[in-house]
Amino acid sequence: MPYIKIKLSNNGKKAFRVLMDELKISINEAQKIIDKKRLFCNGNLVEEKNKILDGLIELITYENNPKGIDIVYENDDFAVVEKPSGVLTHPNGRNCTYSLCDEIWHLWGEKACVTHRLDKETSGLILIAKNKKSQIEFKTMFEKRLIEKNYIALVNGKTQPFFTVNESMSLEKNYNNIKTRMCIDINGKNAITHFETLEYIEHLNASLILAKPLTGRQHQIRLHLFHVKHKIFGEPLYGLEKKDIEKILDNKLNEKERAKITGAKRLLLHSHSLKFSYNNENYFIKSKKDIKEEFF
């Protein structure tokens, strides 16, 4: 299990000082660990940074479990890697056994982090900041829409050569506690996606398309395509009945059963390219995966 409990020295010091001395970290970092409810003394949660600890001191920490990942580009400040479909960007709780963080922290340490997210089933390029400075810069660039992201998807039906979906979105208020879902909402946040058809596959009645989101809303591409009746093959949430969604999310279907319900064994959406300027250099980084072959 990635989350493990380790013993720290019993030295009768204040909680924050124990962490600072044992882990060689700053007082701010020590406080964050305490705030995240990861420090225990004699089996009891430590919630006060100035509490004197006397007894068995234990810390819940994350033990990396790397499986290997493809690095597309790397320099001193950042890296771009290929996230496989089915892998979480971040661990989603104490029971999570593997996430992209296992690879990132194994390769570049715990100061490295993702600068944006991909849904669990979305594959492809994701940008990693190696230090705090680059992390702040890239997150600011994403907020200001200075980083162009392009995706490839296989969708149902024959799409127009070029089309745009400009539909505001918000959190679905009634999703039966299955999973967070979004909905089209005139009073929601602005969301715009440009689409370009790359190929129509007649025998499948399917279109391979390039999606260019101008905004970064959760599930934006997935919801926009579902809204215009070109649902992505393998879509596990939108347009399905609750019982089928639950089976998919609980991994109670094999690949054949999943494909029968959704049209594919996984969500056929891939982060294809990233384009941006950083430190006066222009970058246009493309995925090295033959995603068309993988989709078919």
Side-chain angles (χ1 to χ4, degrees):
M1 297 289 288
Y3 280 105
I4 60 172
K5 190 175 283 188
I6 61 172
K7 294 180 181 179
L8 302 182
S9 297
N10 177 5
N11 52 20
K13 295 181 180 179
K14 292 181 179 180
F16 75 90
R17 178 54 65 182
V18 172
L19 292 172
M20 290 176 66
D21 292 348
E22 288 283 307
L23 305 179
K24 309 301 181 188
I25 59 176
S26 69
I27 187 171
N28 288 335
E29 291 172 309
Q31 182 61 56
K32 287 180 181 178
I33 289 175
I34 295 170
D35 290 342
K36 290 179 180 178
K37 304 183 186 302
R38 290 169 51 191
L39 186 64
F40 293 80
C41 183
N42 295 323
N44 299 314
L45 177 66
V46 177
E47 299 186 81
E48 300 175 18
K49 70 175 183 178
N50 291 315
K51 182 178 178 63
I52 301 295
L53 303 186
D54 183 20
L56 175 63
I57 303 172
E58 296 174 300
L59 172 69
I60 292 176
T61 188
Y62 194 87
E63 182 179 54
N64 295 327
N65 178 32
K67 299 178 181 180
I69 199 164
D70 293 331
I71 301 173
V72 179
Y73 178 84
E74 179 181 5
N75 62 25
D76 291 341
D77 288 331
F78 68 89
V80 177
V81 303
E82 297 267 13
K83 186 187 86 66
S85 174
V87 175
L88 289 164
T89 302
H90 290 111
N92 63 348
R94 299 269 168 89
N95 294 321
C96 179
T97 59
Y98 176 74
S99 75
L100 191 62
C101 288
D102 286 80
E103 307 295 344
I104 296 169
W105 294 340
H106 171 71
L107 291 167
W108 301 296
E110 291 196 20
K111 291 190 182 297
C113 66
V114 297
T115 59
H116 59 113
R117 288 176 179 262
L118 292 179
D119 294 337
K120 179 181 178 181
E121 292 205 0
T122 302
S123 59
L125 301 186
I126 192 162
L127 182 61
I128 313 300
K130 290 187 176 183
N131 53 61
K132 191 69 175 179
K133 179 177 178 293
S134 61
Q135 175 191 346
I136 293 171
E137 288 190 36
F138 279 120
K139 291 202 171 185
T140 300
M141 289 165 65
F142 274 112
E143 288 171 1
K144 293 183 176 180
R145 303 177 188 175
L146 298 177
I147 297 179
E148 180 182 309
K149 298 182 291 182
N150 291 330
Y151 296 76
I152 290 178
L154 186 68
V155 304
N156 179 60
K158 186 173 185 178
T159 53
Q160 295 295 317
F162 299 93
F163 61 104
T164 296
V165 179
N166 184 353
E167 295 286 351
S168 297
M169 299 168 53
S170 66
L171 180 67
E172 175 66 65
K173 295 179 177 62
N174 179 24
Y175 52 88
N176 298 318
N177 297 320
I178 298 174
K179 183 179 172 64
T180 299
R181 287 193 291 179
M182 308 301 290
C183 65
I184 300 299
D185 182 356
I186 192 172
N187 296 314
K189 293 182 178 180
N190 182 42
I192 304 171
T193 314
H194 293 323
F195 297 98
E196 175 185 348
T197 300
L198 303 176
E199 182 180 353
Y200 175 63
I201 303 93
E202 189 169 1
H203 72 280
L204 295 175
N205 187 30
S207 298
L208 191 70
I209 64 172
L210 187 69
K212 303 178 180 182
L214 301 189
T215 49
R217 310 302 176 205
Q218 185 178 14
H219 296 181
Q220 178 175 318
I221 296 171
R222 295 164 59 182
L223 181 60
H224 274 176
L225 286 167
F226 173 69
H227 179 69
V228 296
K229 304 189 186 316
H230 290 298
K231 187 167 73 168
I232 301 175
F233 283 98
E235 172 57 62
L237 285 179
Y238 299 101
L240 296 182
E241 295 182 8
K242 178 181 177 180
K243 63 181 180 64
D244 291 328
I245 295 173
E246 289 176 332
K247 288 178 182 177
I248 293 171
L249 296 180
D250 293 338
N251 294 316
K252 292 182 177 179
L253 299 179
N254 59 39
E255 290 185 351
K256 187 175 181 180
E257 292 169 331
R258 163 78 184 266
K260 185 176 181 180
I261 294 174
T262 68
K265 64 182 181 181
R266 53 153 288 199
L267 179 71
L268 300 188
L269 179 64
H270 182 76
S271 174
H272 175 64
S273 67
L274 295 167
K275 187 177 181 181
F276 55 89
S277 295
Y278 179 80
N279 282 353
N280 299 316
E281 285 193 43
N282 295 324
Y283 294 90
F284 184 38
I285 302 171
K286 289 186 177 182
S287 171
K288 295 181 180 180
K289 296 286 185 182
D290 186 347
I291 199 61
K292 182 178 176 181
E293 181 177 328
E294 188 172 316
F295 279 3
F296 294 103

